[in-house]
């Protein structure tokens, strides 16, 4: 009998990590102060042009079957359930639910920004363009109302082949308790 098993959290499918690509495939947003575009806006990254973010459908019951979906150019037409929005801003990778918890609008159309107090950067946020609500990218808290954006965990890992570029992995944040 294994006595330690009583103290271990059982593995849940939603606790699995999902690889979203190499770090170099994500443009680093916010380094250019003139960049006042949405996340979905096309930018140059390693001599290629791509949106400033990526969107993935990651089912809760089987994250390993997740796949990349096209970034909508304006309002999404399909179901955004189980979609994660991944982007890099000022050297930090962020992963959040793709749909705004207030209006179910695609946050890939949102604008990232610094949360400041008297010129000191305290955090980072994203504004939903549908109603102008903002959410903290680390805590998920809204600037008004009692809504909370789901924030995913992000890890940068060394690839198995020993390459210098890091792999970006995401998973749903685990509930405590």
């Amino acid at each position: 009998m294994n006595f330690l098993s009583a103290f271990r959290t059982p593995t849940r499918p939603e606790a699995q990590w999902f690889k979203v690509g190499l770090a170099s495939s994500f443009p680093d947003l916010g380094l250019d102060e003139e960049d006042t575009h949405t996340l979905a806006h096309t930018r140059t990254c390693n001599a290629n042009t791509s949106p400033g973010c990526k969107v993935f459908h990651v089912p809760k019951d089987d994250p390993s079957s997740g796949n990349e979906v096209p970034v909508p150019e304006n309002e999404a037409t399909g179901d955004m359930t189980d979609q994660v929005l991944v982007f890099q801003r000022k050297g930090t990778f962020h992963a959040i639910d793709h749909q705004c918890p207030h209006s179910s609008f695609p946050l890939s159309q949102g604008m990232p920004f610094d949360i400041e107090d008297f010129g000191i950067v305290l955090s980072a946020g994203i504004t939903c363009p549908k109603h102008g609500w903002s959410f903290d990218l680390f805590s998920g808290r809204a600037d008004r109302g009692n809504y909370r954006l789901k924030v995913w965990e992000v890890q940068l890992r060394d690839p198995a082949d020993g390459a210098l570029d890091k792999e970006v992995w995401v998973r749903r944040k685990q509930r405590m308790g």
Side-chain angles (χ1 to χ4, degrees):
M1 179 173 177
N2 186 351
F3 293 103
L4 294 178
S5 63
F7 299 104
R8 292 182 46 194
T9 304
T11 303
R12 297 182 303 234
E14 66 269 14
Q16 293 177 2
W17 288 91
F18 177 75
K19 181 181 171 185
V20 295
L22 295 174
S24 63
S25 67
F26 292 86
D28 196 354
L29 312 175
L31 296 178
D32 179 9
E33 295 300 323
E34 301 297 318
D35 187 1
T36 57
H37 299 288
T38 67
L39 290 174
H41 182 77
T42 303
R43 294 168 171 85
T44 302
C45 179
N46 293 329
N48 297 319
T49 57
S50 64
C53 60
K54 293 183 181 182
V55 178
F56 298 88
H57 178 258
V58 183
K60 280 185 181 179
D61 57 347
D62 185 15
S64 63
S65 69
N67 60 321
E68 188 170 358
V69 296
V71 176
E73 293 184 25
N74 45 34
E75 286 192 44
T77 56
D79 183 17
M80 291 184 290
T81 304
D82 292 335
Q83 286 188 2
V84 60
L85 172 67
V86 184
F87 61 97
Q88 180 182 196
R89 183 168 189 278
K90 294 187 176 182
T92 302
F93 280 88
H94 300 279
I96 56 176
D97 270 7
H98 188 211
Q99 68 181 2
C100 173
H102 168 244
S103 65
S104 297
F105 196 80
L107 289 175
S108 58
Q109 301 305 312
M111 295 280 297
F113 63 94
D114 288 331
I115 298 174
E116 299 180 358
D117 189 18
F118 296 105
I120 298 172
V121 176
L122 302 175
S123 191
I126 188 165
T127 301
C128 175
K130 185 158 187 180
H131 291 111
W133 286 36
S134 297
F135 300 91
D136 187 291
L137 291 173
F138 294 96
S139 69
R141 288 189 169 193
D143 62 347
R144 59 194 108 158
N146 203 17
Y147 294 94
R148 187 175 291 266
L149 176 66
K150 290 187 180 146
V151 179
W152 293 48
E153 292 180 78
V154 179
Q155 275 188 356
L156 295 180
R157 300 180 183 177
D158 292 324
D161 63 4
L164 296 177
D165 200 1
K166 299 278 191 183
E167 296 175 342
V168 182
W169 292 75
V170 300
R171 77 171 175 181
R172 287 175 176 81
K173 274 202 172 172
Q174 302 302 296
R175 290 187 331 196
M176 302 305 282

